[in-house]
Amino acid sequence: MKSRALITTLTCSTILITSMSPIITVASPAIAAVVAQPKPIPAADLSQHALVDVDFSKSALQDTKHPDATISTTGQPQLTTDKAVPGKVARFDGHSGYMLPYQNDLYDQMAHGMAIEAYFKDDAGQSTEHEIFSNQEKGGLGLGVQNGNVIFYAHVGESYKQPQGKLRTGKWVHAVGVYDQQDQTAKLYLDGQLVSTVKAPGTLNKPKGDGISNFVVGGDSAPNNKVQANLTGAVKVARLYKRALTAAEVANLNQVAQVGKQEPVVVDPGQTAQIVIPGLVGAKDVVVGHTYGLNVHARQAKKSNNGTTTLELIYDKASFDFVGANQTLGGDATTVEAVKPGTIKITTTAQLSDEQFERYDVTRLAHINLKAKASGQGWANLRTFKPDGKTAQIASQQMNIHTKDIQDYNNDGVIGIGDVALAPEVEQSLIAAKSEIKPYKHVVVLTTDGGGNPWDPNGMYYSPNNRDLAQWTANPDILAKRKNTYTLDLFNKKFAMSTTAHSVIPAISAQNYISMLHGRPWGTLPAPYQATNASAGQHYFADFGKAKPEFASIFKVLQQNNPHQGTAAFAEWKQILNGITEPDAAVMTQPSAKLKSFDDVADYIGKPEFSNTSLVYMQSDYMDGQGHSKGWYNDNYWAQYAQYDSLFKKVMDQLEATGHAHDTLVIANADHGGHGIGHGQDTQEPNTNVFLAMGGETIDSGRRLQGGSNADISALVLNALQVPKPDYMTGKVFDKTAFLAQTDLKKKQRQVETVKLTQSSQQVALQLTNAQKSHEARAIEMHIDLAGRTIDQVQVPTGTTIVSQTIENGVLKLVLSFKKQPTANLATIKLTPAKTKADKLVAVKQAMLGTAQGSEVLVDLDNSTKLVADNENPVVKPGTDTKPGSDAKPGSDAKPGSDVKPGTDTKPGSYTTPGSDVKPGSDVKPSTDTKPGSDTTPGSDTKPGTANNGAEADAKPDQNTAQTSGNDSSNSGHSANTKHSGSGLSWLPQTGEQVQMALSVLGGVILAIAGGVGLWLRRRHQ
């Protein structure tokens, strides 16, 4: 079989199907007569030039040129009859074939020219490649059918030459391919007529690989004496000639082949009815703003010849917009036309099949892309025309269109601190209750097909030719052949990378993509789920039609976890989108042109829908094509790989330009390597050794990881997005050292804010330092490990609101909002006295900052490693103006409780002890750092109802104190201007510290009074 880079087919939840009655008939040409073919003219005897000669009409399974050769059988082909031609024919069901062994000198005998002949009938008209009579594997030749065409494949020079002509599906066709080395051409004749000629400079190349010395009737040769690309149809004659045939000789062969054929002749089109059953296959739940595929199917109720089939897709134009269509049946044989909003016309002349819809290669007319634009229940109906011109509803589908979460103010599909920052104040506490700290909102997976292990700076695989196994080398002269500078820097300095990762076995594309997207090694799946390159090009994934999927893809797992986010997939090899990803998965799938998949991903990142997309998967096929056509790890391979610098850079630059570099995990890998011009033929390192790299905000940049498998990709995605992994997924986070805890992120020296925690035995101070000019903070969520301590109260400065304060499992979740960019001080947490000495310190474990634009910043954390003295620990001082990041302590140098007289010229923020001798009316501004109960507010030592003489005597306290006792407390929505004492009792001391101070002052007053009374009595008695 040829390379996927050259020929498409070979490469490395409830299904919503509705087939409703009545069954609709579609007009097909009527058969007016059966006409016998004329007798042939005399033909020259070409048997002496034949190398292989199989004529099934003789009722014998034999190559008459090698009568003693053993013909092997795969599947269950049958020698049977066909009413259109005389004698026996070999019938193939798409899973069977005959293997004819040949000697090593066969291709030497065809070096100067050759011809291949087949008289066959194709019953399926598959869009993917299927072979009639063939021997191809990185070389060789054969006759095949694809996309409604008969093709002669001849590997001449450096590539396959492919003259082709229109296939008459369901009809007997005589095909002859001719390679003429002298005039350097490859030609195809159909029914005796020359239909195509292409230039073919060079020499004919034999196939390469083990166990491929077989010409196959009804398919193509595969390594290890197997068959692939099987035919659904029949063959009567298969021959191979050792010289080029002339046009006259080909015409004579055609005349001989057509003898006795009884051919239906079309004389009155449009009268005979064909019974057609349409169906729709697509996702049940979709998201507003995202594009989804609706697969339009049609199959025959009973196998028959068909003419033109026309269907209409009527969809809810209020809910969807038509985006486009791709992957039409038979290529140009099927057209899709947007008649008007809400109506799409689909017309096909391709031969329809009686296969079930699971065989998408022969029943799917088109993949229609619709973009959801309004929430609610959407619908689509598929109908077709009756012979009388009337229409009838045939199939329908209902779709639940999810709108964004009403609390998702920043439109990222996740409820987080960015939403708190944007929300109205009255909603903040409700949002904070659901808020989560998620460093990654998105994951982008970039897979290089056939990419192997190319990015180790200390060595690489190299082979000087396509015969010898590539060897690992550190030779500087060899390393110089690798021209990539950007990717080497990216993966070795900015990403964490494993160069000891491996593909799953076998090292073939389908097996590895199934492992990546379904989360477990291909070999551990039940047999029906073990799709191959060939079967993935024909069949939907094996969960098709099941009420409950057994091995759902990563796309389905993510959609079920969060229906408010979308996913997307781009691939240059379509089997990933059709046979490996489920057709009813809520994912936007788009086939990419050669070397354009990276461009497609970069474009998608720049679109609004990326903001609430959880996963983008991408496959680039180019390096696999280079390997298959010219070999792995040789000079050409490394020269071609240089293009990937600009491709990876395009995606990374787009992430940076859109601001998503900080909330996206990028995973890069390869599905397999190669050996010679093949792969999967063994388990040696050049075949199976691949790279696996990750880059993102929490990645330990530059770390060399160990191990890893393609089966781990889904597990890595789910871990990054904090989504539970289903039990059937056995992949894992193979090396956890790739990810840094937030407490260790400061080693990356990022340009972000820092939450700094210092603590004494009685209180914890939280500060925000290293403020960034690129944004303003409006909210913050912090998860603080209390180390077994309990909270007395939380104090915040003016302009800060305690939105939410909850404790679970000893961790305080504290959410604050700010009216403007906060200064250094965030909050002070007063702790109740500990009965025993704690064995660890209080520490911030996670924190996320929400900006005025709704973006989220994963800040650095700086936790103190030792206790400081109570008088050295920063505390919240109302009105303090300490600049972010400065080392100055909030407040004046005066120690708490120092003898600062009222009215003295103390700096704003100086500390006046509650109950100190400050007379009402003293010139104490409300910006002084007095605790509740100080002279500036009700609750001070001034009697309730008395008025301070200053102009600002009725100012409210400008700090926010939240009282909390125990570890199961919850306190939300406290305003900085809210009094926390009860009405009429705010003058009472509120904390243990205040009580102690008040008692001390009261005791002093009582002693003074007692001393004064005693002195007065002594004087009176004198």
Side-chain angles (χ1 to χ4, degrees):
M1 194 67 176
K2 61 204 63 64
S3 158
R4 281 192 282 108
L6 303 171
I7 299 298
T8 305
T9 189
L10 175 66
T11 60
C12 303
S13 187
T14 300
I15 302 288
L16 296 177
I17 309 170
T18 309
S19 298
M20 297 173 56
S21 295
I23 294 175
I24 297 303
T25 58
V26 180
S28 178
I31 300 172
V34 176
V35 180
Q37 297 295 324
K39 293 183 179 181
I41 61 175
D45 184 8
L46 296 175
S47 62
Q48 60 179 318
H49 302 293
L51 297 173
V52 174
D53 187 347
V54 177
D55 187 345
F56 294 108
S57 68
K58 297 178 180 179
S59 303
L61 179 59
Q62 185 184 61
D63 176 5
T64 58
K65 303 302 293 186
H66 304 90
D68 297 328
T70 300
I71 298 178
S72 301
T73 300
T74 180
Q76 296 180 331
Q78 295 180 337
L79 285 180
T80 183
T81 59
D82 187 290
K83 61 183 179 180
V85 296
K88 295 285 188 179
V89 300
R91 185 167 296 282
F92 306 97
D93 60 2
H95 304 282
S96 56
Y98 292 120
M99 292 185 288
L100 285 60
Y102 61 81
Q103 300 299 316
N104 292 333
D105 64 347
L106 178 71
Y107 277 84
D108 294 336
Q109 297 182 64
M110 298 187 294
H112 299 293
M114 54 74 59
I116 183 171
E117 175 191 11
Y119 190 40
F120 74 99
K121 181 175 71 169
D122 180 283
D123 288 332
Q126 296 100 324
S127 59
T128 53
E129 181 189 350
H130 291 74
E131 303 299 331
I132 306 157
F133 182 34
S134 182
N135 174 227
Q136 303 173 62
E137 185 69 26
K138 303 103 182 181
L141 56 94
L143 288 168
V145 294
Q146 184 178 17
N147 287 328
N149 291 313
V150 182
I151 305 175
F152 169 42
Y153 300 106
H155 198 287
V156 179
E158 296 183 349
S159 63
Y160 281 97
K161 306 305 181 284
Q162 304 170 41
Q164 53 192 282
K166 193 68 176 176
L167 169 69
R168 294 190 301 126
T169 306
K171 303 295 181 69
W172 282 92
V173 177
H174 184 257
V176 177
V178 176
Y179 162 63
D180 192 329
Q181 198 272 340
Q182 185 173 356
D183 65 9
Q184 297 187 335
T185 59
K187 302 176 182 179
L188 176 66
Y189 296 82
L190 295 181
D191 295 326
Q193 301 296 314
L194 178 64
V195 295
S196 179
T197 301
V198 300
K199 293 182 179 180
T203 58
L204 180 66
N205 301 308
K206 66 176 62 178
K208 300 176 178 64
D210 298 328
I212 57 170
S213 297
N214 301 289
F215 261 90
V216 178
V217 182
D220 185 27
S221 55
N224 304 316
N225 296 309
K226 295 182 179 180
V227 175
Q228 59 188 351
N230 303 80
L231 174 72
T232 300
V235 175
K236 184 178 180 183
V237 171
R239 297 189 182 103
L240 196 64
Y241 300 91
K242 61 182 178 182
R243 69 166 176 84
L245 300 182
T246 66
E249 289 171 331
V250 172
N252 288 337
L253 289 175
N254 175 63
Q255 288 284 341
V256 172
Q258 304 285 4
V259 171
K261 182 173 72 171
Q262 303 293 308
E263 184 86 321
V265 178
V266 176
V267 296
D268 188 15
Q271 299 303 313
T272 302
Q274 177 191 194
I275 301 174
V276 174
I277 304 173
L280 294 173
V281 180
K284 181 180 179 181
D285 290 278
V286 299
V287 184
V288 164
H290 285 258
T291 300
Y292 297 95
L294 186 60
N295 298 285
V296 176
H297 287 256
R299 66 182 182 88
Q300 295 178 335
K302 182 179 181 181
K303 184 175 292 187
S304 61
N305 296 320
N306 68 287
T308 299
T309 303
T310 301
L311 303 93
E312 272 190 340
L313 179 67
I314 311 297
Y315 63 90
D316 181 3
K317 63 183 180 181
S319 299
F320 295 100
D321 284 330
F322 173 64
V323 176
N326 55 56
Q327 304 182 80
T328 53
L329 183 65
D332 293 340
T334 302
T335 60
V336 177
E337 177 189 0
V339 178
K340 60 182 179 180
T343 303
I344 298 171
K345 182 180 179 181
I346 304 155
T347 305
T348 185
T349 58
Q351 174 66 42
L352 299 182
S353 170
D354 61 349
E355 294 278 358
Q356 297 298 313
F357 295 149
E358 179 267 346
R359 281 290 302 274
Y360 74 85
D361 64 321
V362 294
T363 64
R364 186 178 65 183
L365 299 180
H367 180 88
I368 305 293
N369 288 317
L370 299 174
K371 186 172 185 177
K373 63 180 181 180
S375 61
Q377 289 293 321
W379 53 266
N381 296 324
L382 184 64
R383 62 188 185 181
T384 187
F385 294 99
K386 291 181 178 181
D388 58 8
K390 295 182 179 179
T391 60
Q393 180 172 310
I394 299 301
S396 65
Q397 176 167 320
Q398 299 292 320
M399 290 153 283
N400 184 26
I401 307 173
H402 296 272
T403 186
K404 72 169 190 175
D405 191 307
I406 194 172
Q407 296 176 336
D408 182 18
Y409 280 89
N410 64 2
N411 298 313
D412 63 3
V414 177
I415 304 301
I417 195 64
D419 303 307
V420 175
L422 294 177
E425 186 174 344
V426 294
E427 295 183 29
Q428 287 183 336
S429 62
L430 294 175
I431 296 174
K434 295 169 59 178
S435 175
E436 298 178 90
I437 293 179
K438 290 193 172 186
Y440 298 113
K441 308 297 191 304
H442 325 278
V443 177
V444 174
V445 181
L446 307 172
T447 301
T448 304
D449 201 307
N453 180 19
W455 310 128
D456 190 328
N458 301 313
M460 70 185 202
Y461 289 111
Y462 180 74
S463 176
N465 53 57
N466 291 335
R467 298 184 304 274
D468 301 329
L469 182 69
Q471 300 296 316
W472 187 261
T473 179
N475 184 326
D477 294 334
I478 300 298
L479 296 182
K481 296 178 182 291
R482 180 174 54 189
K483 303 299 183 182
N484 303 79
T485 55
Y486 177 83
T487 44
L488 282 168
D489 179 76
L490 177 71
F491 292 128
N492 287 284
K493 295 182 180 179
K494 298 179 175 62
F495 278 44
M497 177 174 63
S498 171
T499 59
T500 56
H502 287 84
S503 69
V504 299
I505 303 300
I508 301 176
S509 292
Q511 287 85 337
N512 276 269
Y513 290 116
I514 289 171
S515 302
M516 291 181 216
L517 298 179
H518 293 269
R520 62 186 292 157
W522 175 85
T524 67
L525 288 165
Y529 291 86
Q530 292 182 343
T532 64
N533 288 350
S535 66
Q538 300 173 327
H539 304 266
Y540 283 136
F541 189 69
D543 272 335
F544 183 83
K546 294 184 178 180
K548 183 178 180 181
E550 294 184 44
F551 300 99
S553 70
I554 182 69
F555 302 111
K556 281 195 169 184
V557 173
L558 292 174
Q559 195 274 336
Q560 184 176 12
N561 177 76
N562 186 348
H564 302 291
Q565 288 184 305
T567 57
F570 303 87
E572 295 172 22
W573 186 48
K574 297 176 185 177
Q575 278 86 331
I576 295 172
L577 309 178
N578 298 320
I580 295 173
T581 300
E582 306 94 332
D584 65 329
V587 53
M588 190 282 291
T589 60
Q590 177 178 314
S592 297
K594 183 173 68 175
L595 283 175
K596 293 298 182 181
S597 53
F598 283 90
D599 292 28
D600 291 339
V601 170
D603 290 344
Y604 186 81
I605 291 171
K607 293 180 178 180
E609 50 260 53
F610 181 75
S611 64
N612 66 333
T613 293
S614 59
L615 172 64
V616 176
Y617 181 80
M618 186 221 76
Q619 178 260 3
S620 172
D621 204 49
Y622 185 73
M623 292 311 300
D624 185 75
Q626 290 300 306
H628 278 300
S629 61
K630 298 184 178 179
W632 262 269
Y633 297 127
N634 56 22
D635 289 350
N636 174 74
Y637 183 86
W638 289 114
Q640 294 300 319
Y641 227 148
Q643 300 179 71
Y644 278 69
D645 266 16
S646 63
L647 300 180
F648 279 107
K649 188 175 187 300
K650 186 172 296 184
V651 173
M652 299 306 296
D653 285 352
Q654 183 74 311
L655 286 170
E656 195 66 47
T658 57
H660 287 298
H662 306 294
D663 63 6
T664 302
L665 177 70
V666 178
I667 302 174
N669 72 320
D671 64 335
H672 57 72
H675 171 198
I677 57 173
H679 57 85
Q681 65 270 58
D682 56 47
T683 58
Q684 297 190 75
E685 285 294 285
N687 245 331
T688 62
N689 184 205
V690 296
F691 81 102
L692 205 170
M694 292 177 284
E697 201 77 344
T698 69
I699 294 297
D700 191 4
S701 302
R703 176 173 286 276
R704 184 52 49 85
L705 308 177
Q706 298 299 317
S709 162
N710 282 333
D712 296 330
I713 298 299
S714 284
L716 294 170
V717 172
L718 295 175
N719 177 72
L721 298 175
Q722 299 180 22
V723 175
K725 187 180 70 173
D727 292 339
Y728 63 84
M729 287 189 174
T730 59
K732 59 185 181 300
V733 179
F734 66 94
D735 190 336
K736 295 182 180 180
T737 65
F739 297 92
L740 294 170
Q742 191 173 352
T743 51
D744 297 324
L745 288 182
K746 58 185 177 182
K747 67 177 284 188
K748 298 186 69 170
Q749 299 182 334
R750 302 172 302 143
Q751 295 300 310
V752 297
E753 289 85 348
T754 299
V755 171
K756 183 177 181 181
L757 181 149
T758 55
Q759 58 189 300
S760 65
S761 61
Q762 299 300 320
Q763 65 186 20
V764 173
L766 297 167
Q767 296 177 291
L768 187 68
T769 64
N770 196 32
Q772 300 298 301
K773 295 181 179 180
S774 59
H775 54 255
E776 287 193 3
R778 285 294 179 268
I780 192 168
E781 176 177 340
M782 296 175 285
H783 296 179
I784 304 166
D785 184 351
L786 296 174
R789 301 293 298 274
T790 55
I791 297 175
D792 182 22
Q793 60 180 319
V794 176
Q795 298 174 340
V796 294
T798 300
T800 298
T801 299
I802 300 177
V803 177
S804 176
Q805 177 183 329
T806 59
I807 297 174
E808 185 175 350
N809 297 324
V811 175
L812 168 66
K813 176 182 175 181
L814 182 62
V815 180
L816 309 176
S817 67
F818 318 113
K819 294 186 180 300
K820 61 180 181 178
Q821 175 72 28
T823 54
N825 296 317
L826 291 175
T828 297
I829 302 173
K830 299 287 187 178
L831 304 173
T832 57
K835 296 180 180 180
T836 59
K837 185 177 181 180
D839 58 357
K840 62 178 182 178
L841 299 179
V842 176
V844 182
K845 295 299 185 182
Q846 287 183 289
M848 186 78 85
L849 194 71
T851 72
Q853 295 76 35
S855 60
E856 298 180 2
V857 179
L858 191 69
V859 299
D860 282 342
L861 303 178
D862 183 5
N863 288 300
S864 62
T865 58
K866 63 180 180 179
L867 293 174
V868 299
D870 287 344
N871 60 359
E872 295 178 357
N873 198 30
V875 294
V876 170
K877 304 276 186 174
T880 57
D881 192 23
T882 305
K883 295 180 180 180
S886 67
D887 291 330
K889 298 178 181 179
S892 68
D893 292 337
K895 296 180 180 180
S898 61
D899 190 17
V900 180
K901 295 181 179 180
T904 59
D905 191 19
T906 57
K907 297 178 182 180
S910 62
Y911 198 105
T912 305
T913 305
S916 61
D917 191 17
V918 181
K919 296 179 181 179
S922 63
D923 190 20
V924 181
K925 298 180 180 180
S927 60
T928 56
D929 192 6
T930 55
K931 296 181 179 179
S934 66
D935 289 350
T936 60
T937 64
S940 66
D941 286 347
T942 306
K943 295 180 181 179
T946 61
N948 290 343
N949 293 332
E952 300 171 352
D954 60 350
K956 296 179 180 180
D958 45 10
Q959 75 175 22
N960 182 16
T961 305
Q963 298 286 349
T964 306
S965 61
N967 281 340
D968 295 318
S969 60
S970 176
N971 199 340
S972 302
H974 298 292
S975 169
N977 293 325
T978 302
K979 303 171 188 176
H980 293 281
S981 56
S983 176
L985 298 177
S986 61
W987 55 274
L988 291 173
Q990 302 295 309
T991 69
E993 183 179 351
Q994 292 172 359
V995 170
Q996 289 178 342
M997 289 181 179
L999 290 175
S1000 176
V1001 171
L1002 181 60
V1005 171
I1006 293 173
L1007 288 174
I1009 293 174
V1013 171
L1015 180 61
W1016 177 76
L1017 290 173
R1018 284 196 299 272
R1019 288 179 177 176
R1020 185 177 180 183
H1021 288 37
Q1022 286 178 347

